[in-house]
Amino acid sequence: MSDFESVCKKYGVTRLMFIRHAQASSDGAKPKSAFGTPHDWKANDQMRPLTAEGKAQSENARRWFIEGVGLENNKVLVASGARRAVETLQIMAEPRPSSEAAAEVQMIPSLHPAGIAPKCEELFDKLNYGPLTKYYEEVDGERALAQYGQIVFDEFGDMLKRCGSKPGNTVSMFGHAVFLNAAAMEFAIALNFSKEERDTLAAINLGEAEGLSLTIMPDGSKKLQHMHCRGLAPNGITSHPLFSA
């Protein structure tokens, strides 16, 4: 058992969710070149709200989140601090009318990478969205993403010490594509996921309002799931988590 797995066991955490925010508006958004520092750009970028389509994506994704993960199972919900991530969290985690389930919300600012991972930002400006494998093909791409993911991992550890005593077995994190995948990879490595599972994770192109689930099974084995509603009718009802991996 790895050191991190022992920490998870100590706090009763058996599942980690990494959820990409839904579609966000670019209205009023300015290019990075219009700002003097990464901090100034980040402050502007963090204010972008969800579009109507993004809200619909979040409402649709609420089905796999509520039914497949369970709000009541969440020890804590975590967001990057960006408005679009927080709004996705609020919609997806809205309980059913008959439910009294609730979970505390915490922030992990490093889930938004601006100003703390310049190499990753440089690569994103060049490559845009895509799986980790696309970034690994670039010089220093894998190393840069691993260093960024470790920052999130360390900040998560501090948060877990504060919130670990709360009920629930799941921690759900709402963040940003590619960077969220990079963080998930560091958690998968720390939990001793197999190389096959990590290769599968590296190849997943996470869509808007989709999630990655890392689960420690009762027998100690590990399971990766890609949570989504692809191919599901708008009014369809799920009875189990949807996944493609």
Side-chain angles (χ1 to χ4, degrees):
M1 183 181 294
S2 69
D3 290 344
F4 182 58
E5 189 171 347
S6 296
V7 171
C8 288
K9 183 176 181 180
K10 173 184 176 181
Y11 292 115
V13 175
T14 59
R15 179 167 46 192
L16 299 169
M17 294 294 306
F18 301 83
I19 302 164
R20 179 183 170 186
H21 68 77
Q23 185 185 92
S25 173
S26 59
D27 292 346
K30 299 178 181 179
K32 290 182 180 180
S33 58
F35 298 91
T37 69
H39 174 78
D40 293 334
W41 173 79
K42 181 175 182 177
N44 178 266
D45 181 70
Q46 284 189 319
M47 295 307 297
R48 294 199 289 127
L50 295 184
T51 62
E53 174 62 22
K55 292 177 181 178
Q57 290 173 340
S58 300
E59 290 170 357
N60 203 36
R62 185 166 60 210
R63 287 177 292 168
W64 66 251
F65 186 73
I66 296 296
E67 297 174 25
V69 178
L71 178 59
E72 69 281 1
N73 293 323
N74 275 270
K75 186 178 292 290
V76 64
L77 302 170
V78 182
S80 69
R83 179 176 174 180
R84 56 194 183 276
V86 173
E87 288 183 352
T88 302
L89 181 160
Q90 290 173 329
I91 295 172
M92 287 183 62
E94 182 181 352
R96 298 186 185 281
S98 59
S99 172
E100 295 182 359
E104 179 178 320
V105 176
Q106 291 279 326
M107 299 293 175
I108 291 184
S110 60
L111 284 169
H112 191 297
I116 62 172
K119 179 62 177 179
C120 291
E121 291 183 73
E122 176 187 322
L123 288 171
F124 184 76
D125 288 343
K126 175 183 178 181
L127 302 173
N128 211 315
Y129 299 105
L132 294 177
T133 50
K134 180 179 179 181
Y135 282 69
Y136 290 172
E137 295 173 356
E138 298 293 314
V139 175
D140 288 334
E142 186 169 0
R143 182 180 64 84
L145 289 174
Q147 289 177 340
Y148 164 72
Q150 192 62 45
I151 293 173
V152 177
F153 182 83
D154 291 344
E155 196 169 350
F156 174 90
D158 292 337
M159 185 274 299
L160 189 59
K161 290 176 183 177
R162 299 192 307 270
C163 304
S165 63
K166 297 181 181 300
N169 62 14
T170 301
V171 178
S172 297
M173 290 170 268
F174 293 74
H176 308 262
V178 183
F179 306 105
L180 199 62
N181 300 48
M185 181 61 76
E186 295 309 300
F187 282 81
I189 291 170
L191 288 171
N192 286 332
F193 270 65
S194 68
K195 184 180 184 303
E196 181 181 2
E197 292 274 40
R198 298 198 308 270
D199 287 346
T200 299
L201 170 57
I204 292 175
N205 187 7
L206 197 63
E208 293 166 334
E210 294 184 358
L212 298 169
S213 173
L214 304 182
T215 304
I216 304 171
M217 304 301 289
D219 64 358
S221 63
K222 312 302 188 308
K223 185 175 185 179
L224 166 68
Q225 291 176 291
H226 179 187
M227 311 294 283
H228 61 80
C229 291
R230 298 181 186 184
L232 186 69
N235 296 319
I237 301 298
T238 65
S239 59
H240 56 78
L242 300 176
F243 60 92
S244 65

